[in-house]
Amino acid sequence: MSNNKSNMTLGVNIDHIAVLREARKINDPDPLMALAVCAQNGADQITIHLREDRRHIHDEDAKKIIQNSPIPVNLECSINQEIIDIVCKLQPHRVTLVPEKREEVTTEGGLDVIGQAEAIGYAIEQLHDSLIPVSLFIDPTDEAVMMSKELNAEMVELHTGTYANVYAMLHSSLPYTHHSIKELELPRHTLLSKLEQSFEMLQSSADKAKDIGLEVAAGHGLNYHNVKSIMDIDAITELNIGQSIIARSVFSGLADAVKEMKRLSKRS
Ligand code: PXP
């Protein structure tokens, strides 16, 4: 193993804590408490997504998290003007621009940096005027990487969704999202070659981005199994992971939560 590998920044996405809170519309669980637990246990960065529909993180959460965080806050948002105005005032450590559709369950693909170059470029300009560095969430292609550089982004986050989907189909016969359900019928050798192809795209676009001076993050659908290969791509120096960490925390915490309630509900 080479000993000059750069360190990896782990960004933990805590949107799902707010998803759980919104299910009851109360103040529990509190994303601010999640921030503290993440920071105390090795997270290098907190990632939150201020969506146009505010389905999980609200403006007030973002404000409190940015004001109180002992670690950098990476705020994801769309290029919607109302959101960009709010985000410029919030002053997160970095903004990651993502595509957003109201009806989607989660961010489905990378930004259309070529088709929407002008609008994305304008959003970047405004964020830079507010002294906020910008990362662009893109599909892993050379064209998207080159365009991100042209648009003056400091960083790109490569969408690992295709890789994660194919990996899940090979190992559990379920994609990490259910969008590509038709691919479940693909034979194993086809899935293997798709996995290789999706990994190579990540590898080559990460290398390209690094070569032209962009920092490189990766995220979406990464979990305790598929993250290992991503670690082999030296050019990637940051991971943003949400769903799998929060999902695991339910089970690592459920035993204690039940025991404590059992203790309280015992009569002597
Ligand atoms: N990176 C970006 C840009 C995202 O939009 C998301 C999902 O909000 C993530 C990373 C985290 O994805 P996951 O929850 O699948 O780990």
Side-chain angles (χ1 to χ4, degrees):
M1 218 168 81
S2 114
N3 55 9
N4 63 351
K5 286 193 184 265
S6 49
N7 266 333
M8 187 67 91
T9 294
L10 174 62
V12 180
N13 182 317
I14 55 172
D15 293 345
H16 286 284
I17 299 289
V19 167
L20 202 52
R21 176 193 63 189
E22 290 307 298
R24 275 289 177 98
K25 303 236 176 278
I26 51 174
N27 59 3
D28 180 41
D30 184 350
L32 211 55
M33 272 177 76
L35 159 68
V37 174
C38 294
Q40 280 161 15
N41 289 283
D44 304 296
Q45 166 174 290
I46 279 299
T47 295
I48 49 173
H49 185 170
L50 186 66
R51 290 188 71 101
E52 290 164 29
D53 61 12
R54 309 300 201 278
R55 70 169 74 149
H56 39 56
I57 293 290
H58 295 168
D59 302 42
E60 200 51 29
D61 296 320
K63 193 172 156 193
K64 284 191 204 152
I65 287 169
I66 292 163
Q67 281 174 355
N68 292 294
S69 183
I71 52 178
V73 178
N74 169 38
L75 193 147
E76 297 175 8
C77 69
S78 73
I79 57 168
N80 173 294
Q81 189 58 53
E82 188 201 324
I83 293 280
I84 295 291
D85 289 341
I86 293 170
V87 168
C88 286
K89 289 200 192 103
L90 284 170
Q91 288 283 306
H93 298 83
R94 187 212 297 140
V95 161
T96 299
L97 293 176
V98 300
E100 213 178 285
K101 287 191 224 125
R102 297 247 165 173
E103 67 279 13
E104 71 193 355
V105 174
T106 181
T107 321
E108 282 169 6
L111 283 164
D112 178 9
V113 276
I114 294 165
Q116 284 202 293
E118 200 177 326
I120 294 170
Y122 183 54
I124 295 175
E125 238 177 79
Q126 294 175 82
L127 292 162
H128 281 170
D129 285 347
S130 297
L131 305 178
I132 304 168
V134 180
S135 177
L136 299 182
F137 188 46
I138 56 170
D139 291 320
T141 67
D142 282 5
E143 298 75 38
V145 167
M146 298 297 284
M147 186 50 102
S148 302
K149 181 72 181 171
E150 250 179 69
L151 290 172
N152 274 330
E154 281 81 13
M155 185 166 195
V156 287
E157 179 169 335
L158 301 177
H159 197 309
T160 47
T162 303
Y163 161 81
N165 258 339
V166 181
Y167 188 101
M169 286 185 268
L170 260 169
H171 292 92
S172 66
S173 76
L174 269 183
Y176 91 96
T177 72
H178 294 264
H179 298 299
S180 49
I181 209 86
K182 267 191 254 132
E183 305 213 340
L184 288 175
E185 290 143 29
L186 292 176
R188 188 175 161 77
H189 66 89
T190 310
L191 286 174
L192 276 170
S193 85
K194 273 178 171 277
L195 186 67
E196 200 174 316
Q197 194 188 353
S198 61
F199 182 80
E200 275 165 12
M201 284 180 79
L202 287 166
Q203 170 103 62
S204 90
S205 29
D207 289 345
K208 177 101 203 161
K210 188 182 176 192
D211 281 354
I212 60 174
L214 290 165
E215 284 183 75
V216 191
H220 222 279
L222 295 179
N223 59 36
Y224 294 86
H225 308 286
N226 64 21
V227 74
K228 204 160 172 279
S229 309
I230 299 296
M231 293 298 296
D232 291 337
I233 305 178
D234 289 349
I236 294 176
T237 57
E238 176 179 309
L239 302 175
N240 288 303
I241 307 181
Q243 203 273 340
S244 63
I245 295 177
I246 306 304
R248 177 170 287 212
S249 74
V250 170
F251 293 112
S252 54
L254 189 57
D256 280 349
V258 172
K259 276 184 208 152
E260 175 64 1
M261 192 54 83
K262 183 68 189 169
R263 190 182 67 76
L264 291 172
S265 61
K266 258 189 194 147
R267 290 202 171 105
S268 46

